[in-house]
Amino acid sequence: MKKNKTIDNMKAFPKVDLHRHLEGSVRPETFIEVSKKYGGKLPFYDLVNLKPIFQADPDCCDFKTFLSKFNIYRDFYESKEAIQEVTYRAVKEAALDNVRYLELRFSPTHFAANKKFNESDVILWMEEAIGIASKDYNIIVTPILTISRDFGLDLAAKTVNLVLGMRDRFFCGLDIAGNETISSLKPFKVLFEKVKDAGMGLTVHAGEAGGPVNVREALLVFHADRIGHGIRSVEDEALMGMIRDRDVMLEVCITSNLHTGVVKSLNEHPIKKIKNSGVPFCLNTDDPAVSALCLTDEYCKAVFDFGFTVEDLNKMNLSALYHSFYPDKNYLNKNLSFLWE
Ligand SMILES: [Zn+2]
């Protein structure tokens, strides 16, 4: 009884999500509906068969299998309408979960790939869909550009240059994703410098499947403002001190870490250690559709399994707003910070 009450409270609790991939926010139900309306090939057209392909299997977790889910999505999008619909729904679902501030990251290359759309067109379509959804559902959405280390520097550079050359700056930050265990990020340094010079924030997926050495590099060599996951930083005491001193935020995604097999069981997750260390951190979904969850589920884990209090969550969300990539912090403070004070 008490637990259910708290779940209701957590649903109603205003939330911030700084680490959510649009690519991983499209639920199997949405794929089927969008496919019927606008076309788009799926391996199956019924939920029973489609879910195991698109969603992580909690009994069989490994990093490569998790990443492979995104290759299936890549060949799906056939039209502007399909892209706009999945974008709109992703924002709507976040808002219905009472996420009040969302940083939604995505790769225009991913959505453009199937039909070889112009990436600049895709960005404008996304912008329109996000604008309408955020008005309809009263949520502030900040777009972040994702590039992948897996597809090489040339492709990433093309997208970054395109984004920097657009008249109106749509993206407020850059994220680099992909498999951190197989290649070095050093060649991408030139792109990180470019986006930082242009005033965009930088977040680097590191210290997830790879060790603390990758977080160290993201901090010292790339001057990342935030780290995607970064949970393995706890293995290196000195690094934790460095993250704290530099005021770099760790974007923690508890369930995703289980589904990628990076953390073997919930009680082994270092979230409590991170909280106690004083390092800035926040709770996020990563890929809500792949992990079949919403941010409320993650807040419940924090409360029920790790003993977080409402004060802890308030403090965390204020810190997340402070570390957000939204260009006008005064606006955010005026419109949102009272929710957590
Ligand atoms: Zn991620």
Side-chain angles (χ1 to χ4, degrees):
M1 189 70 180
K2 204 176 167 195
K3 188 165 179 168
N4 280 340
K5 179 125 180 48
T6 314
I7 290 170
D8 289 346
N9 292 349
M10 285 301 105
K11 187 88 186 164
F13 193 86
K15 300 172 200 68
V16 175
D17 195 333
L18 297 188
H19 188 134
R20 183 179 299 215
H21 297 265
L22 176 57
E23 291 86 341
S25 298
V26 188
R27 299 193 187 267
E29 294 85 343
T30 301
F31 271 118
I32 292 171
E33 285 169 39
V34 168
S35 162
K36 276 186 192 151
K37 269 164 95 174
Y38 305 115
K41 279 199 198 92
L42 293 170
F44 296 101
Y45 295 87
D46 64 285
L47 279 179
V48 175
N49 286 304
L50 198 59
K51 273 188 177 175
I53 291 177
F54 281 167
Q55 290 178 340
D57 176 0
D59 297 321
C60 175
C61 302
D62 91 312
F63 195 57
K64 269 195 189 148
T65 310
F66 191 87
L67 288 185
S68 73
K69 305 276 175 194
F70 299 93
N71 293 331
I72 312 169
Y73 299 131
R74 216 177 162 81
D75 297 327
F76 176 74
Y77 298 98
E78 297 215 340
S79 66
K80 169 188 173 182
E81 289 75 18
I83 293 171
Q84 288 195 319
E85 178 133 356
V86 298
T87 308
Y88 184 92
R89 284 194 189 203
V91 173
K92 174 184 167 181
E93 283 171 19
L96 294 180
D97 191 33
N98 217 6
V99 174
R100 301 297 295 273
Y101 179 77
L102 170 67
E103 292 200 353
L104 190 61
R105 56 185 74 191
F106 57 89
S107 152
T109 317
H110 172 100
F111 292 92
N114 187 32
K115 286 288 173 185
K116 298 190 172 55
F117 292 124
N118 259 330
E119 287 190 29
S120 48
D121 289 340
V122 171
I123 293 168
L124 293 176
W125 302 339
M126 300 285 205
E127 186 172 13
E128 192 182 8
I130 289 173
I132 296 170
S134 49
K135 272 206 189 81
D136 285 353
Y137 291 95
N138 189 27
I139 176 174
I140 299 174
V141 182
T142 297
I144 296 180
L145 172 67
T146 291
I147 52 174
S148 172
R149 56 204 295 164
D150 300 346
F151 296 104
L153 178 64
D154 289 350
L155 191 62
K158 216 175 116 220
T159 308
V160 167
N161 290 333
L162 170 82
V163 164
L164 292 179
M166 286 178 87
R167 200 153 49 96
D168 298 313
R169 181 68 47 76
F170 172 57
F171 293 103
C172 298
L174 178 75
D175 157 52
I176 183 147
N179 190 342
E180 62 168 317
T181 63
I182 54 168
S183 60
S184 165
L185 269 191
K186 289 237 164 52
F188 292 86
K189 187 172 181 245
V190 57
L191 298 184
F192 301 154
E193 284 169 354
K194 262 190 176 178
V195 296
K196 288 200 68 126
D197 286 348
M200 288 164 66
L202 174 65
T203 176
V204 173
H205 276 76
E208 181 190 14
V213 66
N214 289 352
V215 179
R216 213 172 251 271
E217 183 186 53
L219 243 60
L220 300 179
V221 184
F222 309 137
H223 309 291
D225 302 296
R226 303 195 320 233
I227 304 291
H229 303 284
I231 54 164
R232 289 191 58 194
S233 308
V234 297
E235 296 166 24
D236 181 340
E237 197 82 19
L239 174 62
M240 288 297 272
M242 238 185 273
I243 297 170
R244 202 169 40 238
D245 294 346
R246 287 168 182 251
D247 201 14
V248 168
M249 169 157 270
L250 302 186
E251 305 159 352
V252 178
C253 314
I254 299 174
T255 305
S256 170
N257 296 149
L258 299 173
H259 287 169
T260 51
V262 169
V263 176
K264 297 294 167 218
S265 66
L266 188 59
N267 59 18
E268 288 174 63
H269 197 283
I271 182 74
K272 197 78 188 272
K273 210 170 172 183
I274 291 168
K275 177 164 98 63
N276 293 340
S277 73
V279 160
F281 77 99
C282 58
L283 283 176
N284 311 275
T285 47
D286 206 9
D287 299 291
V290 178
S291 289
L293 53 74
C294 57
L295 193 52
T296 295
D297 297 319
E298 301 304 84
Y299 277 44
C300 287
K301 285 188 187 78
V303 171
F304 298 136
D305 298 293
F306 297 102
F308 276 51
T309 63
V310 167
E311 287 70 33
D312 292 330
L313 296 174
N314 282 334
K315 199 174 148 202
M316 181 185 84
N317 282 331
L318 281 171
S319 178
L321 281 194
Y322 175 77
H323 289 89
S324 74
F325 292 156
Y326 192 83
D328 184 353
K329 291 281 160 55
N330 287 335
Y331 178 84
L332 280 193
N333 287 334
K334 221 170 91 194
N335 287 281
L336 290 176
S337 68
F338 69 91
L339 292 167
W340 298 289
E341 278 167 353

